[in-house]
Amino acid sequence: MEFNKLFLTHILSDNKLTPSLNIIQCLPNEYLVKPELDDSLLSLLASGYIKSCYPYHYETVDLPCLCILYTISGSGVFEIEDRKLCLTPETFLFIDGSRKHKISAEKNSWNFYQLFLEKSKSLFFLKEFHKKFGDMTTLTTTPYIHSLFRRLTEVPEVLNRDSLIINHRLLTDLLTASILTPAASQADLAPYYLREMKKTMDSQYASPHSLAQFEEALGISKYRLSREFHTLYQVPPLQYLNRRRIEEAKRLLEDPSIAVYEAGRLVGIDNTTHFIRLFRKYTGTTPSHYRNSLPT
């Protein structure tokens, strides 16, 4: 059954929001690729970025799917039994649609991502989430989290089985992030190749590195590596390397027996002028002034 028709069979509130607008016009896009019955893939029934305002609302019961609602701006209300939760920016609501509940916008605009998930394959994550947080938690809007929602709510250029596998990975990352927050950082959820890049730069900062070298070593386009590293860690990879080098240089400069030029060489920057320029860029002062400012 099409998702919109499925939704309508379980709606309790009036389908009409205004004389010219109904709730179906405000639902996310149905996901057209369906997994095989015996698949273990996490999958979407519908997903989208919803721009709403009062009188947006709906009330449902026995909806046979799970729902994620992540607020970007404005506010809404989630009502279940005798409880009300205010849905404000960065709130992550994860619920079983079979429970009778109501969703509504307050009198300001309310913009949010909404995902409807196939139920049976996602129940493990729902149970783990509810053990820790109940129906809702706060999930910081990092570039990484935003990119997961953005990709999950985009319509793929080609709808095929590859789309299902990609969505399974994205949903796994998103649900894992929601369960582990705040105990684990987003970096812990990075793909192996980004973790490998970061590990190499953290431990081998004194060696020369380039995106072309990482491309060859990891078998992934340097443009993709640069884009995804920047999205996850909020800094381009080679800039991250330079920051790592300067942090290590600061530690070396605490030893008065190590000359400025030697500190630069030990962190992989042989040109002293370039080292001083980078040090000033990331610390606001020169290596010599930094050393003189240290307590004796």
Side-chain angles (χ1 to χ4, degrees):
M1 181 184 294
E2 294 178 7
F3 176 76
N4 286 357
K5 292 179 179 178
L6 175 69
F7 187 91
L8 280 179
T9 61
H10 296 278
I11 195 169
L12 299 176
S13 51
D14 187 353
N15 181 30
K16 282 288 186 180
L17 301 178
T18 69
S20 61
L21 182 68
N22 63 53
I23 187 61
I24 292 300
Q25 295 170 272
C26 302
L27 288 178
N29 297 320
E30 179 182 6
Y31 202 77
L32 299 177
V33 180
K34 306 300 182 187
E36 302 294 332
L37 290 176
D38 59 348
D39 269 346
S40 58
L41 296 175
L42 301 178
S43 59
L44 292 169
L45 299 176
S47 65
Y49 182 64
I50 311 298
K51 296 182 178 181
S52 75
C53 60
Y54 182 83
Y56 175 90
H57 70 277
Y58 65 80
E59 186 174 14
T60 66
V61 67
D62 295 329
L63 188 63
C65 60
L66 306 184
C67 177
I68 291 172
L69 198 154
Y70 184 67
T71 297
I72 297 298
S73 63
S75 61
V77 176
F78 167 70
E79 299 178 53
I80 189 165
E81 297 168 348
D82 58 349
R83 293 188 299 119
K84 285 187 178 183
L85 296 177
C86 187
L87 307 178
T88 53
E90 299 190 334
T91 54
F92 184 100
L93 181 74
F94 188 20
I95 59 170
D96 185 340
S98 66
R99 300 161 67 197
K100 182 180 178 182
H101 65 277
K102 182 177 180 180
I103 300 286
S104 57
E106 295 192 320
K107 294 200 174 184
N108 55 334
S109 62
W110 180 31
N111 301 323
F112 54 91
Y113 287 109
Q114 189 169 39
L115 312 176
F116 289 96
L117 284 66
E118 195 281 329
K119 186 173 181 177
S120 63
K121 314 299 190 322
S122 309
L123 279 176
F124 165 78
F125 290 100
L126 181 72
K127 290 175 182 177
E128 292 298 313
F129 185 91
H130 279 223
K131 283 180 189 176
K132 290 190 175 185
F133 309 115
D135 292 314
M136 188 175 73
T137 190
T138 299
L139 188 61
T140 303
T141 309
T142 63
Y144 175 59
I145 294 300
H146 179 72
S147 70
L148 291 175
F149 274 110
R150 179 179 54 78
R151 293 188 65 188
L152 284 164
T153 53
E154 285 177 345
V155 177
E157 293 182 7
V158 179
L159 293 169
N160 55 27
R161 187 159 180 79
D162 287 350
S163 305
L164 287 174
I165 295 170
I166 290 170
N167 276 355
H168 172 81
R169 177 173 66 82
L170 296 172
L171 284 168
T172 300
D173 286 353
L174 178 64
L175 293 172
T176 302
S178 72
I179 291 169
L180 295 181
T181 299
S185 70
Q186 67 187 52
D188 295 327
L189 304 168
Y192 80 92
Y193 49 87
L194 295 186
R195 294 199 304 270
E196 190 63 27
M197 277 183 75
K198 184 175 180 296
K199 178 182 176 181
T200 299
M201 291 188 286
D202 282 338
S203 61
Q204 302 174 33
Y205 51 82
S207 301
H209 298 288
S210 69
L211 289 175
Q213 289 172 326
F214 283 120
E215 179 181 58
E216 182 177 358
L218 298 169
I220 295 174
S221 160
K222 62 183 179 181
Y223 304 107
R224 177 181 170 185
L225 290 172
S226 180
R227 182 180 65 252
E228 293 189 9
F229 191 99
H230 193 176
T231 296
L232 181 63
Y233 297 107
Q234 302 182 54
V235 62
L238 297 184
Q239 192 177 123
Y240 176 87
L241 174 61
N242 282 331
R243 287 183 178 179
R244 177 71 183 88
R245 287 168 167 167
I246 297 305
E247 286 303 310
E248 184 62 20
K250 288 165 65 177
R251 187 187 67 78
L252 292 171
L253 290 169
E254 295 174 6
D255 184 345
S257 69
I258 298 178
V260 167
Y261 77 88
E262 189 177 5
R265 181 180 59 79
L266 289 172
V267 298
I269 309 172
D270 292 333
N271 185 306
T272 303
T273 301
H274 182 51
F275 172 61
I276 293 171
R277 184 165 61 249
L278 281 178
F279 197 97
R280 184 193 293 274
K281 176 181 177 180
Y282 292 114
T283 69
T285 189
T286 66
S288 296
H289 284 151
Y290 175 79
R291 166 173 276 165
N292 293 335
S293 70
L294 295 173
T296 56

